[in-house]
Amino acid sequence: MSTGLIEKIIRGRGGSGKWKFYAIATVIYLLDQGTKFLIVQTLPLHDSRVVLPFFNIVYVRNIGSAFGLFQGLGNGTFIVLSVVALVLIAALIRISDNDLYAFSLLLGGAAGNATDRVARAYVVDFIDLYIGRYHWPAFNVADSALTVGIAMLIISQFRAKT
């Protein structure tokens, strides 16, 4: 990391005008944690409720990363990676003038799943989308925010190149 970048992170750019992006991240975090709380309190583990012909509410525990991958890495590794990601994303909001909505979604989503890992040692997933017998791996509000935020960054990069 160059000295200039470290100085930007410490001093920030845009200062107080960035509060709304941290507020968006906070709303995502609260929605994520609130929905997970409701699922844990009202639905038995591995139970399912049909909402629409392509959408169920389920309660599953994910000890891996996206789609349950890398379960062998252990919860401690995921916590460390989450903390590093949270610090970097918060710093990017502080120093950047671009992609702030995307970074807000990433920060809120990463904080939601990190909280699960610290508090429970797994992530609560509950959204089950499917067509017929083919199910997408269960996910949650934090995962949705992360996916949309990443998509926004990818689109931004393609637009910047044209």
Side-chain angles (χ1 to χ4, degrees):
M1 219 182 256
S2 73
T3 306
L5 182 58
I6 293 170
E7 186 176 319
K8 283 181 185 178
I9 291 170
I10 293 169
R11 293 187 186 192
R13 282 172 64 196
S16 63
K18 304 286 178 98
W19 68 268
K20 71 180 176 182
F21 301 105
Y22 294 107
I24 291 167
T26 301
V27 168
I28 296 296
Y29 173 80
L30 293 173
L31 281 170
D32 178 66
Q33 290 298 298
T35 53
K36 290 172 179 175
F37 176 80
L38 286 172
I39 294 302
V40 169
Q41 295 301 311
T42 61
L43 200 61
L45 183 62
H46 303 296
D47 205 358
S48 175
R49 300 286 188 271
V50 176
V51 178
L52 295 169
F54 58 88
F55 171 46
N56 293 336
I57 297 292
V58 298
Y59 174 18
V60 295
R61 295 175 177 173
N62 182 355
I63 61 170
S65 65
F67 314 120
L69 299 172
F70 308 113
Q71 293 180 14
L73 290 179
N75 194 50
T77 301
F78 287 119
I79 290 171
V80 170
L81 291 173
S82 296
V83 169
V84 170
L86 289 168
V87 169
L88 288 174
I89 297 165
L92 286 169
I93 291 173
R94 186 169 168 84
I95 66 171
S96 182
D97 292 325
N98 301 316
D99 301 318
L100 294 170
Y101 289 102
F103 293 142
S104 298
L105 295 175
L106 294 175
L107 184 62
N113 283 342
T115 297
D116 278 17
R117 293 199 179 283
V118 169
R120 298 183 173 99
Y122 57 86
V123 173
V124 173
D125 287 332
F126 59 91
I127 300 169
D128 175 30
L129 297 177
Y130 61 95
I131 297 174
R133 60 187 173 116
Y134 300 101
H135 292 253
W136 189 257
F139 58 98
N140 57 47
V141 172
D143 297 335
S144 299
L146 289 164
T147 301
V148 171
I150 290 167
M152 290 170 70
L153 288 175
I154 291 169
I155 291 167
S156 173
Q157 291 303 304
F158 279 116
R159 285 186 176 168
K161 294 186 190 279
T162 59

